[in-house]
Amino acid sequence: MGRAPCCDKANVKKGPWSPEEDAKLKAYIDQHGTGGNWIALPQKVGLKRCGKSCRLRWLNYLRPNIKHGGFSEEEDNIICSLYISIGSRWSIIAAQLPGRTDNDIKNYWNTRLKKKLLGRRKQSNMNNMSSMGGETKDANGQEDDSYSPGLSSSAFERLQLHMQLQSLQNPLSFYNNPALWPKLHPLQEKMIQNLQSLNEFPNTPLMEHALPSPQPVQGQKVGFYESPTAAKVNELKSLHGISSSDNSVAFINENNSMDSTHVPKAKGIEQSNAGIQASVFQAEIDNFLNTKTVDFVPQEDQMAEFDCFKEMNVSKDGVLWWSTNDFDARSASLNAWESTSVLRPQQIFQEYELGYNL
DNA sequence: AAAGCACCCAACCGCCTTTAT
DNA sequence: CATAAAGGCGGTTGGGTGCTT
């Protein structure tokens, strides 16, 4: 049993909005507001439209200060980095881009940015990756994104983007130097085993690219937020379910440096020059892939939340995990993302574009 | 010139969450 | 506390448009 429809579908107009309808809706809302009830609004306005349709039209096109098209490079960067971090949570991403709507960003990503970043690389070493999931080419060279043995397209795209960026940022880096690879995280080992068991990539080079960056200091949890005042740090800790007395947590501010009052003393983050100078974007991606909460064991529901592993049937037994609490809508509403923390990968992005012949 | 194709994007659909009763 | 209604969101669709053959 589905729920009852929100309106009488036989008596509502569908399809594109006419200028007259737009004018009616806009005039009414400008004068009276939405009244907090979209379902009742069409009748008041005198429109034969579903309330949801009115809401969508208002939010996406009629409300003031909406921008359409012409995404800047800066906006591309933001969308890209947030997508890698949180996936297709368009409303959260849109909240970081004033004047942009989730629908606009979603369309932009699906029709342009994704192709720009993932689909057009010359002699891509990601051809190999295609055999483990994500888009593949059929005999005619057409993209076939229906083939994803292990990961959802979203999860795979995010992983793919991460790895491409890592590799591009430093060709001699960890990813391309097996000698630097650490002992694998149990979860990562399991992930690889699962993927290999699919028999789609019997040779390891594919997964070699999927290896994580080096492990953080054991027990370290790192957050990425702007100007971490003491109050803010405590708020963030609370948000993450971390005790306020837990000083194994550091928060990185907009200048990419950790707040000195919160730098862990005993177990602290490696504070090499390279570490401090590393871009927030780099840190954020690493954070996404493996450092979120090294000592965190998830609850079932939290585990289920993370699609790329959920889809791989990874058991929580004996594995280390990271929190996804940071990315829920509630934290977004608390402006956890209202920062510049993940939003300055400009140079990386430019290098990336060059490398991929965009 | 026209048919076929690819791309773009506005709008819809249905599910999940939140709010009201 | 339970239920229904409304809000909100992400995925998908389909029509319009421009490009290619």
Side-chain angles (χ1 to χ4, degrees):
Chain A
M1 279 288 284
R3 44 172 303 181
C6 64
C7 54
D8 179 4
K9 298 205 183 280
N11 287 320
V12 295
K13 187 182 170 194
K14 288 162 69 168
W17 281 65
S18 68
E20 292 75 25
E21 288 176 308
D22 281 348
K24 272 188 175 180
L25 182 62
K26 189 168 191 321
Y28 184 90
I29 293 178
D30 283 346
Q31 196 173 352
H32 302 98
T34 64
N37 186 346
W38 286 105
I39 301 301
L41 194 72
Q43 265 198 325
K44 294 178 188 170
V45 180
L47 291 171
K48 288 190 172 181
R49 289 276 181 179
C50 172
K52 279 187 166 189
S53 180
C54 292
R55 174 182 164 272
L56 203 67
R57 187 67 186 169
W58 171 256
L59 292 177
N60 287 343
Y61 298 95
L62 299 178
R63 71 186 159 107
N65 304 321
I66 292 289
K67 284 190 278 185
H68 289 292
F71 281 80
S72 68
E73 195 171 333
E74 176 76 4
E75 287 174 313
D76 286 358
N77 298 340
I78 292 169
I79 294 167
C80 179
S81 56
L82 285 175
Y83 185 85
I84 289 172
S85 296
I86 63 176
S88 56
R89 299 190 188 185
W90 305 116
S91 60
I92 295 174
I93 295 173
Q96 308 305 316
L97 300 172
R100 300 295 186 186
T101 68
D102 54 356
N103 207 37
D104 233 14
I105 294 168
K106 178 172 60 183
N107 282 334
Y108 180 58
W109 172 263
N110 285 329
T111 60
R112 298 187 192 187
L113 204 49
K114 182 166 73 175
K115 290 171 190 166
K116 189 176 168 185
L117 297 175
L118 291 172
R120 305 236 170 105
R121 187 185 182 186
K122 280 186 178 176
Q123 298 178 339
S124 168
N125 63 5
M126 298 309 289
N127 288 343
N128 287 339
M129 289 298 296
S130 294
S131 62
M132 62 179 272
E135 292 186 348
T136 58
K137 307 274 186 189
D138 65 18
N140 300 319
Q142 300 296 310
E143 284 181 357
D144 171 17
D145 58 9
S146 65
Y147 179 63
S148 298
L151 299 174
S152 69
S153 59
S154 169
F156 178 77
E157 280 164 15
R158 290 157 64 190
L159 203 56
Q160 202 174 1
L161 272 169
H162 164 68
M163 289 182 282
Q164 289 181 355
L165 285 166
Q166 281 276 13
S167 177
L168 234 164
Q169 190 182 6
N170 183 359
L172 302 176
S173 75
F174 169 81
Y175 284 93
N176 299 318
N177 187 351
L180 297 177
W181 297 343
K183 184 178 184 301
L184 282 181
H185 187 295
L187 176 59
Q188 291 147 357
E189 284 182 341
K190 192 154 191 172
M191 176 179 170
I192 291 170
Q193 284 166 10
N194 279 346
L195 289 167
Q196 285 179 328
S197 72
L198 295 167
N199 201 28
E200 297 295 341
F201 40 93
N203 303 318
T204 52
L206 303 178
M207 284 312 298
E208 287 170 3
H209 291 283
L211 286 166
S213 53
Q215 294 293 313
V217 177
Q218 193 70 19
Q220 178 70 55
K221 296 187 277 271
V222 185
F224 301 88
Y225 300 96
E226 64 182 339
S227 306
T229 61
K232 182 70 175 177
V233 167
N234 283 334
E235 179 192 328
L236 293 169
K237 282 180 177 176
S238 168
L239 198 62
H240 288 262
I242 300 164
S243 163
S244 59
S245 60
D246 182 357
N247 287 326
S248 67
V249 181
F251 293 98
I252 293 175
N253 68 18
E254 61 210 0
N255 299 317
N256 302 354
S257 61
M258 286 180 288
D259 181 282
S260 60
T261 62
H262 297 92
V263 173
K265 291 169 186 164
K267 322 180 206 176
I269 285 179
E270 289 180 75
Q271 293 188 57
S272 65
N273 289 338
I276 290 298
Q277 295 302 321
S279 74
V280 169
F281 185 53
Q282 172 67 58
E284 193 276 334
I285 289 173
D286 284 345
N287 184 47
F288 157 63
L289 281 177
N290 64 5
T291 72
K292 206 59 188 181
T293 52
V294 174
D295 55 0
F296 175 75
V297 178
Q299 302 301 308
E300 292 286 358
D301 57 339
Q302 290 169 312
M303 210 162 155
E305 196 178 341
F306 214 83
D307 54 1
C308 76
F309 291 101
K310 176 178 66 184
E311 291 163 17
M312 291 159 63
N313 299 315
V314 177
S315 162
K316 77 170 182 179
D317 295 334
V319 303
L320 304 176
W321 206 253
W322 60 80
S323 167
T324 58
N325 292 345
D326 340 33
F327 302 131
D328 66 17
R330 194 174 304 278
S331 63
S333 70
L334 290 170
N335 295 328
W337 283 100
E338 198 171 274
S339 74
T340 56
S341 60
V342 298
L343 312 180
R344 305 255 183 255
Q346 187 125 358
Q347 188 182 349
I348 299 172
F349 192 83
Q350 284 167 350
E351 288 167 359
Y352 177 75
E353 284 192 317
L354 286 172
Y356 284 76
N357 192 34
L358 300 174

